[in-house]
Amino acid sequence: MSKPQLLSLAPVGHFKLGRTSSQSVRLHAPQAVAEVSVLADDLFRVRLARGQRFSRRPSWAVAKTDWPPVDTQIAPTSRMVRLSTRRGALDFHFADASWELHDARGIGVFSAAPCSLGFAGEQARLSLSLTETESLF
């Protein structure tokens, strides 16, 4: 039996701010589209797709689709956009697709290093930056 071939990450970046709604922003790069959205006051989502459109198929990462509105502040600058709620904030940097998630006190919870968002083959991939004492499970 042969071993599966691992595909290396082709990072994306150079995003520009697109459409903004009350709880999300759409970001466009030359060969990809991303969306940062607030689903609940303590739940943020980063989506990524090749091209300029998302699939109509539902996300397997977040099964629930009917979220109640959340008071969200969106603060774009020339280099990044911040989406914040009473429970936290997510900063997404346009140039290198890095991002940081902070709790309400401003303490970092998760982050994605520069150039860690992209594609391995056709699949979108993200590498989280965790400290030695952190884990997801």
Side-chain angles (χ1 to χ4, degrees):
M1 179 181 266
S2 64
K3 291 183 180 180
Q5 185 178 18
L6 296 176
L7 300 172
S8 61
L9 180 73
V12 295
H14 306 289
F15 283 96
K16 293 186 181 188
L17 187 63
R19 188 182 78 224
T20 300
S21 72
S22 63
Q23 291 183 212
S24 68
V25 295
R26 184 74 52 104
L27 306 163
H28 297 278
Q31 287 139 6
V33 61
E35 183 178 71
V36 181
S37 53
V38 172
L39 301 180
D41 64 357
D42 60 351
L43 183 60
F44 295 79
R45 176 171 58 186
V46 177
R47 295 179 67 195
L48 179 69
R50 283 197 185 277
Q52 296 301 309
R53 287 192 209 136
F54 290 102
S55 170
R56 290 181 183 228
R57 291 178 291 178
S59 169
W60 289 20
V62 180
K64 183 176 175 178
T65 58
D66 56 335
W67 297 91
V70 175
D71 186 27
T72 304
Q73 290 75 45
I74 299 175
T77 70
S78 62
R79 295 183 179 171
M80 61 167 272
V81 62
R82 169 175 277 197
L83 284 79
S84 56
T85 70
R86 67 181 183 88
R87 302 278 308 271
L90 190 140
D91 298 335
F92 187 97
H93 302 270
F94 302 142
D96 58 15
S98 63
W99 56 262
E100 302 90 30
L101 177 65
H102 304 275
D103 67 14
R105 296 172 295 177
I107 298 171
V109 179
F110 290 116
S111 64
C115 303
S116 63
L117 180 65
F119 296 94
E122 292 300 313
Q123 299 296 314
R125 294 286 186 252
L126 166 69
S127 296
L128 289 176
S129 301
L130 301 174
T131 66
E132 193 173 304
T133 61
E134 295 174 321
S135 74
L136 294 176
F137 303 98

